[in-house]
């Protein structure tokens, strides 16, 4: 509920949390187990790629970056969420709220930019195999990774800067965690500039990467149509993990974007909760499962890592 005061609130209140009673401890244990599983699974992928010299190739380096991003996003969400599950007062300070927005939004944007770069890597490997090693050098991989990280960091930072300077007339957020649009809706002044910047950031960090992924796979499909069945089988084998990851994350992002267009105050809290943190839970646990189980190189390196640890 908005008030007539335009003084910036010192804290925000999450209104989606309901009184769970003794069930809060069950949910806390389940979410803590999920958090530990996400961290452990992604750390295994990271260590496997870093320690196994045969995996020091562009495709595996990008998979490692994807796991690093999953750890980053999970650490930005789960600790605070676990505290709220056990707390009676669901208040978060203003600075920490904006910090959480920044971490979660940069995680979400980096996930898509990394997936688009991985699609480009597969496009070059399949459609231009003779040029692959000359194009996807270590320097090129580093530059692509820096762009995938720095552009979302700057774009999301600028959008959050505008939000942080808005005079607000309330402090209630119908979310399980801090999100930019619910904070903007609390503004006492016109938010046209924020809306323009938000749309620009969404286009450049969500829709353009989505277009690049679709374009890359269209080109791959055209090449496969003119190739042998054996070539198509190898192309599908190397692309399938990325396709599964991309489709899963796209669906989760679609759910989050749909929630921003709905009035969360009129929705069932359970629906709001599920739609709001799907992209924070499903991709971080899905990525290591897909790449760890589907790609025998990473699976073999992971087993060797465990054997070395036991010795």
């Amino acid at each position: 509920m908005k008030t007539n005061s335009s003084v910036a609130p010192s804290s925000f209140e999450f209104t989606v949390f309901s009184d769970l009673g003794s069930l809060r401890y069950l949910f806390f244990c389940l979410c803590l187990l999920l958090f530990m599983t996400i961290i452990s699974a992604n750390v295994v992928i990271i260590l496997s790629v870093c320690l196994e010299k045969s995996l020091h190739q562009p495709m595996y380096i990008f998979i490692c970056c994807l796991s690093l991003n999953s750890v980053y996003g999970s650490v930005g969400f789960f600790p605070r969420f676990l505290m709220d599950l056990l707390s009676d007062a669901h208040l978060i300070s203003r600075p920490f709220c904006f910090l959480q927005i920044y971490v979660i939004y940069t995680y979400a944007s980096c996930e898509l930019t990394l997936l688009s770069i991985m699609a480009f890597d597969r496009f070059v490997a399949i459609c231009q195999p003779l040029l692959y090693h000359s194009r996807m050098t270590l320097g090129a991989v580093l530059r692509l990774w820096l762009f995938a990280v720095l552009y979302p960091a700057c774009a999301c930072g600028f959008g959050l800067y505008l939000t942080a300077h808005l005079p607000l007339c309330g402090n209630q957020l119908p979310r399980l965690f801090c999100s930019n649009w619910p904070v903007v809706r609390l503004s006492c002044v016109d938010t046209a500039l924020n809306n323009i910047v938000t749309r620009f950031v969404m286009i450049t960090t969500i829709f353009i990467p989505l277009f690049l992924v679709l374009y890359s796979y269209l080109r791959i499909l055209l090449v496969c149509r003119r190739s042998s069945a054996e070539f198509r089988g190898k192309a599908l084998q190397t692309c399938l993990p990325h396709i599964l990851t991309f489709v899963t994350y796209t669906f989760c992002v679609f759910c989050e974007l749909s929630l921003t267009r709905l009035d969360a105050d009129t929705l069932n809290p359970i629906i709001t909760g599920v739609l709001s943190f799907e992209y924070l839970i499903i991709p971080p646990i899905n990525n290591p499962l897909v790449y760890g189980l589907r790609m025998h190189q990473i699976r073999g390196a992971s087993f060797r890592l465990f054997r070395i640890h036991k010795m």
Side-chain angles (χ1 to χ4, degrees):
M1 181 181 298
K2 292 185 179 183
T3 66
N4 293 327
S5 174
S6 62
V7 178
S10 60
S11 63
F12 295 97
E13 178 184 6
F14 300 128
T15 61
V16 173
F17 287 96
S18 58
D19 186 10
L20 300 175
S22 59
L23 286 177
R24 70 173 66 184
Y25 302 106
L26 174 61
F27 287 127
F28 175 84
C29 293
L30 292 176
C31 291
L32 179 60
L33 178 61
L34 179 61
F35 178 46
M36 295 174 63
T37 302
I38 288 173
I39 297 298
S40 301
N42 283 284
V43 167
V44 168
I45 297 293
I46 294 168
L47 291 178
S48 299
V49 174
C50 291
L51 298 179
E52 183 68 33
K53 291 185 178 180
S54 63
L55 299 183
H56 293 177
Q57 302 175 35
M59 179 173 64
Y60 302 111
I61 292 174
F62 290 136
I63 293 173
C64 179
C65 294
L66 208 62
S67 290
L68 277 171
N69 192 51
S70 295
V71 171
Y72 168 72
S74 297
V75 170
F77 166 70
F78 272 101
R80 173 68 206 194
F81 179 67
L82 292 171
M83 289 174 55
D84 281 320
L85 284 176
L86 296 180
S87 176
D88 293 323
H90 306 107
L91 297 174
I92 183 172
S93 66
R94 182 184 176 93
F96 197 86
C97 181
F98 288 125
L99 175 62
Q100 188 180 56
I101 292 175
Y102 182 75
V103 171
I104 290 177
Y105 276 52
T106 50
Y107 149 77
S109 301
C110 285
E111 190 84 358
L112 275 174
T113 52
L114 285 171
L115 287 173
S116 66
I117 289 173
M118 293 172 72
F120 173 75
D121 173 73
R122 293 300 83 206
F123 160 72
V124 177
I126 294 173
C127 300
Q128 303 172 346
L130 299 179
L131 301 177
Y132 182 76
H133 292 291
S134 61
R135 287 194 172 186
M136 300 303 295
T137 62
L138 182 60
V141 169
L142 179 60
R143 288 191 294 271
L144 288 171
W145 176 77
L146 286 174
F147 174 78
V149 171
L150 293 180
Y151 179 75
C154 295
C156 294
F158 179 64
L160 186 60
Y161 172 82
L162 295 178
T163 301
H165 285 77
L166 285 174
L168 305 179
C169 293
N171 72 332
Q172 295 187 344
L173 302 177
R175 291 290 192 279
L176 294 172
F177 56 89
C178 286
S179 186
N180 184 66
W181 180 242
V183 174
V184 172
R185 291 184 62 185
L186 295 174
S187 174
C188 306
V189 298
D190 181 65
T191 59
L193 178 60
N194 296 76
N195 295 336
I196 294 173
V197 172
T198 298
R199 286 186 173 88
F200 175 78
V201 172
M202 287 178 58
I203 290 173
T204 55
T205 61
I206 296 179
F207 294 107
I208 290 181
L210 288 177
F211 170 77
L212 292 176
V213 172
L214 294 176
Y215 174 77
S216 298
Y217 277 109
L218 177 61
R219 293 289 302 274
I220 291 173
L221 180 62
L222 293 176
V223 170
C224 289
R225 286 186 60 186
R226 299 192 298 266
S227 304
S228 64
E230 181 181 0
F231 181 88
R232 289 196 295 269
K234 290 181 178 180
L236 178 62
Q237 183 179 10
T238 189
C239 292
L240 185 58
H242 181 268
I243 294 174
L244 292 174
T245 304
F246 170 70
V247 171
T248 300
Y249 189 72
T250 302
F251 173 77
C252 294
V253 169
F254 175 77
C255 291
E256 167 62 16
L257 293 178
S258 299
L259 184 61
T260 61
R261 297 300 175 187
L262 300 174
D263 188 359
D265 295 325
T266 63
L267 294 177
N268 185 294
I270 296 178
I271 296 177
T272 301
V274 171
L275 291 178
S276 63
F277 63 36
E278 265 189 319
Y279 72 105
L280 292 167
I281 292 180
I282 296 178
I285 194 63
N286 177 72
N287 295 348
L289 288 177
V290 169
Y291 288 110
L293 295 177
R294 295 285 311 180
M295 306 190 75
H296 68 274
Q297 297 91 337
I298 293 181
R299 187 169 64 250
S302 301
F303 289 149
R304 287 191 292 272
L305 179 65
F306 281 115
R307 285 201 296 268
I308 293 173
H309 180 71
K310 291 179 179 179
M311 292 178 59

